Amino acid sequence: MTSLTIRDFRPEDADAVAAAHRAGREHLVQTPEMFAWRAARQAKGAHDRVLVAELDGRVVGAVRCGVVVGTSTVGAGHANGSVLPGYRRRGAFTALLAAAERHLAGHGVTELHSWVDDEPGSLAFAAARGFTAGRTAHFAGRDLTVPLPPAPPLPAGVELRPASDFAADPYPLFEIDADAARDEPGEVVMDAAEYDEWLAGEWNRPDLDRELTVVAVVDGTPAAFSSATTDGADRYWSAFTACRREYRGRGLAKLAKSESLRRARAAGLRRAYTSNDAGNAPMLAINAWLGYERCASERKFIKRLDG
């Protein structure tokens, strides 16, 4: 007999949940500390919840779910998770997903969004549970021990500064983030960002490296940035590269991301990873120029919870 239990996350689950999330996904730069931090944090109106699955007393997987915030769209929710490969096909993720759907439906979610590994088993699992396939995103990686292409020349009036220079007042970086997020490819338009939530959820996240996060400043005005998180050891993740609308077309995002990678390489990091929507041609071109190579893909799946 197999005993399956679905329950809420506890801090001591962090190592097991991180292991399940990263299994077979070298490109995901997530630490147990980040999972614990995310589980403890409650964004306003998000009703975030992390559920774990125990099989015979062992934590073998988890799902993180919540209401999508930062948007004027009503009723959108998210649920993403994983189960250790050796414990799949035993009902754990089916039970996790069902519990997440009940939780979200109870908070007004009518449309559930979930990212799924672009491989046959995962795609079939989602389709069999009522999800419809949507857009594709690609992961790419780069060996940072290999030299980067020569840095583009800095245009007149442009300087590249670390995000740490803005520690006393990061609001200009929030403005870049909020402006760029509105134009990110996706089914839900992120058009209602709030500064306090951005501070708590992005600027103050424990894995953000403000020295490796690079801001392009034009004539004294922050115009673009490339934010970087790390695993605290040797792996780097490009979290978001953004540019304000009025400054686009000048190569500022390319300058910021290139400089961020140079700083990461100088700091001794060895692997860099990034992810982009398959339709985001400008960023895909920048990544190709920087020497990233595709290593995995995922598909967005959507399910109606209101019948």
Side-chain angles (χ1 to χ4, degrees), residues 2 5 30 49 51 78 86 101 107 112 139 146 154 157 164 206 209 218 232-233 237 253 258 276 285 291:
T2 296
T5 301
Q30 293 278 352
R49 192 175 182 188
L51 297 160
H78 64 88
E101 290 182 11
H107 290 286
L112 177 59
F139 294 97
V146 176
L154 276 180
S164 56
D209 192 312
V218 180
W237 175 258
S258 173
N276 294 104

Side-chain angles (χ1 to χ4, degrees), residues 61-75:
V63 65
R64 180 172 179 264
C65 60
V67 179
V68 178
V69 295
T71 177
S72 60
T73 301
V74 177

